[in-house]
Amino acid sequence: MSSNRRATGLVSTLINYNIYIMLAALLAVSAMLSEHFLTLQNISNLLRQLAPLALVSIGMLLVILTGGIDLSVGSVAAIGGMGVAMAMPMLPFEGGSALLVCILGAVLFGSLLGAVNGILVAGFGMASFVATLAMMTMARGLAYMLSNGQPVRFPRDLSTAQVLTEFGSKGIPGVNLPWPVLSVLLVIALFVFLLRQTNWGRLTVATGSNENAVRLAGLPVWRYKFLAFVICGALSALAGVFVTARTAVGTPITGVGLELDAIAACVIGGALLSGGKGSLTNTMIGVLILGLIGNIMNLMSVPAYPQQIIKGVIIILAVLMQGIGARATRRV
């Protein structure tokens, strides 16, 4: 009997922590395949590259928790990054304060685009897939119109631009922790607190889990859906700013495919696309898993097209493992 209990406990542990086991296995395999993987420079670059995806994945998780989906995040990121690049030379003042104004403007505009999604979905009852698909197309078209299809470069001698590029390329002295990564960690901590410790967080999850129960309790379901899209738009625009800070250029092609990676990170982290279930911590593990896959293949000089195939296969396997784990949990 005791051996059966131990076996059952082992199965439960493997099921509950399968995403962490997956991450550990990927780390071990990556370290064995490339001697450059565990270098401080590679890890710093990997985290810096994943910062925009992490921001978008936070917003995507909020939308998924309410039972929706947001396909416009990549296009909104392009608008955010280009907006900062275009606005910096236009301001009558320079420096950190000017950059802050540009970033706040980009985030505000991203929030506005998210609000349009929220009104269509929460206000008019439109399917989130349709509403955000339309926004994805319109926002991408706007990005191409504003830039005439060309990259938006800003003067390197502009002090505002120097502050932006230093933010994207440097970090805490002596620690080699990039500023974008530190910023993302603070955002993660904020939303972990909000989701776990506030009524807003609990009711956001409840909206996706049992919308009728929330409505019958006299609570405004539309508000939680609307706010999820607004926050997602704001974080997507901020992600675009981070991309511009890292690459020192704003382009209309920023964020192409970003929505699919964000959805994949959420699903790998155990979020249900039907809503009501998802963990921000596990979603960030999903982000790391996606980043590790791309990073090790780059270090091994795997061509881009085979990378997409391999990445797709690994995502399918990860989601299958989540499904098997969920069924086994019900049996246990």
Side-chain angles (χ1 to χ4, degrees):
M1 182 68 72
S2 59
S3 60
N4 288 337
R5 287 202 193 95
R6 283 196 297 270
T8 301
L10 178 60
V11 171
S12 298
T13 300
L14 292 175
I15 291 170
N16 293 331
Y17 297 98
N18 66 81
I19 189 171
Y20 299 97
I21 295 171
M22 191 189 315
L23 176 63
L26 267 175
L27 287 170
V29 170
S30 299
M32 288 187 293
L33 290 177
S34 174
E35 61 182 8
H36 302 291
F37 173 73
L38 290 179
T39 61
L40 191 60
Q41 184 64 41
N42 180 62
I43 294 173
S44 177
N45 288 337
L46 172 62
L47 294 176
R48 184 183 287 109
Q49 291 167 7
L50 288 179
L53 176 58
L55 287 174
V56 173
S57 296
I58 294 170
M60 184 68 74
L61 178 65
L62 294 177
V63 173
I64 288 176
L65 285 173
T66 64
I69 199 103
D70 192 344
L71 300 178
S72 66
V73 292
S75 300
V76 175
I79 291 288
M82 281 181 42
V84 167
M86 296 175 68
M88 284 191 297
M90 299 171 61
L91 291 179
F93 53 97
E94 299 183 18
S97 58
L99 178 61
L100 182 60
V101 170
C102 292
I103 293 175
L104 289 176
V107 171
L108 182 61
F109 191 70
S111 302
L112 179 61
L113 297 180
V116 174
N117 286 333
I119 291 171
L120 292 174
V121 175
F124 291 96
M126 188 178 294
S128 60
F129 181 90
V130 176
T132 59
L133 179 62
M135 179 58 71
M136 176 182 75
T137 306
M138 291 187 294
R140 186 69 66 182
L142 179 61
Y144 277 105
M145 285 179 59
L146 292 174
S147 65
N148 293 320
Q150 301 297 320
V152 179
R153 304 185 185 279
F154 40 82
R156 296 296 181 90
D157 57 347
L158 193 69
S159 62
T160 311
Q162 292 171 3
V163 175
L164 179 65
T165 53
E166 286 180 4
F167 172 80
S169 61
K170 296 183 179 180
I172 300 175
V175 182
N176 207 23
L177 180 66
W179 290 117
V181 177
L182 177 61
S183 303
V184 170
L185 290 175
L186 294 175
V187 174
I188 291 171
L190 171 63
F191 279 97
V192 166
F193 171 78
L194 291 175
L195 284 172
R196 293 182 180 178
Q197 304 297 328
T198 67
N199 287 333
W200 170 80
R202 288 187 284 268
L203 290 172
T204 296
V205 177
T207 298
S209 178
N210 195 333
E211 182 176 327
N212 288 331
V214 176
R215 185 176 286 108
L216 290 173
L219 297 170
V221 169
W222 67 268
R223 182 182 300 170
Y224 302 104
K225 290 186 175 184
F226 177 77
L227 284 175
F229 280 104
V230 170
I231 294 171
C232 188
L235 291 176
S236 298
L238 184 59
V241 174
F242 278 25
V243 173
T244 297
R246 181 168 58 87
T247 60
V249 62
T251 70
I253 62 171
T254 294
V256 172
L258 188 59
E259 62 280 347
L260 301 180
D261 284 342
I263 294 170
C266 293
V267 173
I268 290 173
L272 291 180
L273 293 179
S274 57
K277 180 184 176 183
S279 164
L280 184 52
T281 303
N282 286 359
T283 296
M284 292 301 102
I285 298 295
V287 170
L288 285 174
I289 287 173
L290 290 176
L292 287 172
I293 294 169
N295 182 251
I296 191 59
M297 287 192 291
N298 286 333
L299 289 176
M300 296 179 65
S301 301
V302 177
Y305 297 130
Q307 278 194 33
Q308 295 177 5
I309 297 173
I310 296 170
K311 187 176 181 180
V313 170
I314 293 177
I315 290 172
I316 290 173
L317 292 175
V319 174
L320 285 176
M321 286 178 62
Q322 294 289 348
I324 292 170
R327 288 192 294 271
T329 300
R330 288 193 291 269
R331 285 197 291 269
V332 173

